[in-house]
Amino acid sequence: MKVLSVVGARPQFVKLAPIAAATRQLDVDHIVVHTGQHYDESMSQSFFDTLAIPDPDVNLGVGSGSHGTQTGRILGELEPVLQHHQPDWVLVYGDTNSTLAAAICAVKIHLPVAHLEAGLRSFNRQMPEEHNRVLTDHCSDLLLAPTRAAAAQLSREGLAGRTVVVGDVMADICLAVRDEVSARPTAVPLPIPSGSPYFLATVHRAENTDDPERLGAILDALRKLPIDTVLLAHPRLVARAQSFGLSLAGGALHPAPPLTYPHLVKALAQSRGVVTDSGGLQKEAYLLGKICTTLRTETEWAETLEGSWNVLAPEPSDVRRLATRPEPDAAPLPVYGNGDAALRTIQQLVTHA
Ligand code: UD1
């Protein structure tokens, strides 16, 4: 059996790590295609290095571009690669332009597509990720849902017959890396005095970075937090802030380059909490029992809102009040699986091949 994974953006490299390990464990041929959507060392290669993922078999090198240009380039470059390898499954991950392009490319040449992280919805049709998710789910042959809620959504859309719940592969890797980093001393490079309390923050979504007024208000709110706040700056944020003449520093705010995954997990585990618009970080905070304040009007990861481990903060002026709320009494629930989602994913691909 041959599985061909298509990945392109940072969170997909994280999800690829447990999938690659599961293919080795179950003796399944695994070809990895990197679209090149993310290409900076800190956004791409550092994940392959620190998570022991084999280098991609193919890198399409598409780079950045408008949605149409990026998606179209991936479609065109990927087609001969899929035709050459003729996999039993094309496995696509999450909600990026790389995911949608690969799914369309595969169905057009009649190769079966499986969508990992199927069934998530923000119901916000302004988000590029929402278009990518919905379109990918509806053209895929096998929908690998991370949670029961995601499967129920797919059922409401008439897709129950193609859906299986496998758990969340991000939980597999997050919990494994947490155990690894807690077992050995790891110094995380943060721009604040060692041992002092801090919040972690990230901002990269188009709806938060691309409007100068909104981005300015978010940065102001982070500056006013009562403890140091380390802003792990995605290249998109750096580019937009620079073009709008906005500083990423000042007050409580300290910018830093993106971290490797083990360093991120350690930094999160040692933080007082997170302020973010990242889907992955909302979930990682929940898994590690850290308070998360989400700079969005809605979240696809609705389970994290239970018990207020995560709260939505669409208004930047509410960030200080929400980020400093007390920790909930009840522990987070194990809604994202038991750490065996990647194995279950590959087993499902074998069963349905
Ligand atoms: C993409 C995904 C988003 C995901 C995120 C994870 C889409 C539509 N969005 O957003 O869902 O949460 O990845 O990080 O697919 N850039 C660099 N170097 C890089 C990558 C990006 O400088 O290695 C800069 C470029 O200016 C680029 C911009 O960041 O134009 C945006 O990158 P892009 O890949 O288009 O989308 P992300 O914002 O990263």
Side-chain angles (χ1 to χ4, degrees), residues 253-281:
L253 196 54
H254 305 272
L259 295 172
T260 65
Y261 195 68
H263 281 168
L264 174 85
V265 169
K266 183 114 191 180
L268 179 53
Q270 292 180 338
S271 73
R272 286 288 166 91
V274 182
V275 183
T276 190
D277 60 5
S278 150
L281 210 44

Side-chain angles (χ1 to χ4, degrees), residues 28-329:
V28 164
D29 282 349
H30 189 208
I31 310 286
V32 175
V33 178
H34 187 325
T35 63
Q37 178 171 350
H38 285 176
Y39 42 88
D40 285 2
E41 157 75 27
S42 67
M43 297 293 286
S44 175
Q45 190 58 42
S46 83
F47 289 81
F48 286 83
D49 295 343
T50 57
L51 296 176
I53 312 168
D55 278 340
D57 298 275
V58 181
N59 190 323
L60 304 177
V62 299
S64 301
S66 66
H67 289 290
T69 304
Q70 191 176 54
T71 310
R73 264 195 215 135
I74 297 168
L75 247 167
E77 298 290 327
L78 187 59
E79 192 173 57
V81 176
L82 296 187
Q83 263 158 345
H84 170 73
H85 285 285
Q86 291 294 318
D88 297 291
W89 283 107
V90 176
L91 183 59
V92 297
Y93 299 57
D95 56 16
T96 67
N97 290 342
S98 294
T99 301
L100 177 62
I104 297 174
C105 188
V107 293
K108 289 277 181 194
I109 53 174
H110 308 296
L111 288 173
V113 187
H115 185 204
L116 192 64
E117 228 176 59
L120 297 181
R121 297 290 180 266
S122 66
F123 303 102
N124 176 349
R125 289 185 46 89
Q126 296 301 310
M127 291 177 69
E129 293 84 0
E130 185 72 355
H131 314 146
N132 291 342
R133 286 181 200 114
V134 172
L135 293 166
T136 302
D137 279 342
H138 282 260
C139 78
S140 293
D141 301 279
L142 183 62
L143 300 172
L144 301 156
T147 61
R148 286 177 191 284
Q153 178 58 32
L154 291 167
S155 176
R156 283 192 284 277
E157 294 179 26
L159 300 171
R162 298 186 232 162
T163 301
V164 285
V165 179
V166 289
D168 189 332
V169 299
M170 208 119 170
D172 297 12
I173 184 80
C174 179
L175 299 176
V177 169
R178 174 200 62 188
D179 294 345
E180 262 170 52
V181 295
S182 65
R184 60 185 155 80
T186 313
V188 182
L190 295 181
I192 50 167
S194 157
S196 64
Y198 62 90
F199 290 120
L200 273 189
T202 74
V203 185
H204 78 275
R205 298 259 169 217
E207 64 266 29
N208 284 332
T209 55
D210 292 8
D211 170 18
E213 219 169 291
R214 175 148 182 93
L215 179 57
I218 290 173
L219 293 170
D220 270 347
L222 296 176
R223 279 189 199 98
K224 289 180 189 145
L225 285 171
I227 55 173
D228 282 336
T229 298
V230 178
L231 177 61
L232 301 172
H234 184 292
R236 179 188 193 107
L237 170 67
V238 174
R240 297 296 186 276
Q242 201 170 13
S243 74
F244 301 149
L246 295 170
S247 167
L248 298 180
L253 196 54
H254 305 272
L259 295 172
T260 65
Y261 195 68
H263 281 168
L264 174 85
V265 169
K266 183 114 191 180
L268 179 53
Q270 292 180 338
S271 73
R272 286 288 166 91
V274 182
V275 183
T276 190
D277 60 5
S278 150
L281 210 44
Q282 289 173 58
K283 228 176 346 162
E284 284 149 354
Y286 189 77
L287 290 164
L288 299 182
K290 293 289 161 181
I291 286 188
C292 181
T293 304
T294 296
L295 298 161
R296 286 181 48 193
T297 45
E298 71 285 303
T299 177
E300 306 78 47
W301 301 104
E303 299 85 1
T304 61
L305 300 173
E306 293 291 325
S308 298
W309 282 100
N310 187 13
V311 297
L312 299 172
E315 290 305 324
S317 54
D318 289 333
V319 164
R320 184 184 164 107
R321 177 177 57 81
L322 294 173
T324 54
R325 71 192 185 277
E327 236 177 54
D329 293 330

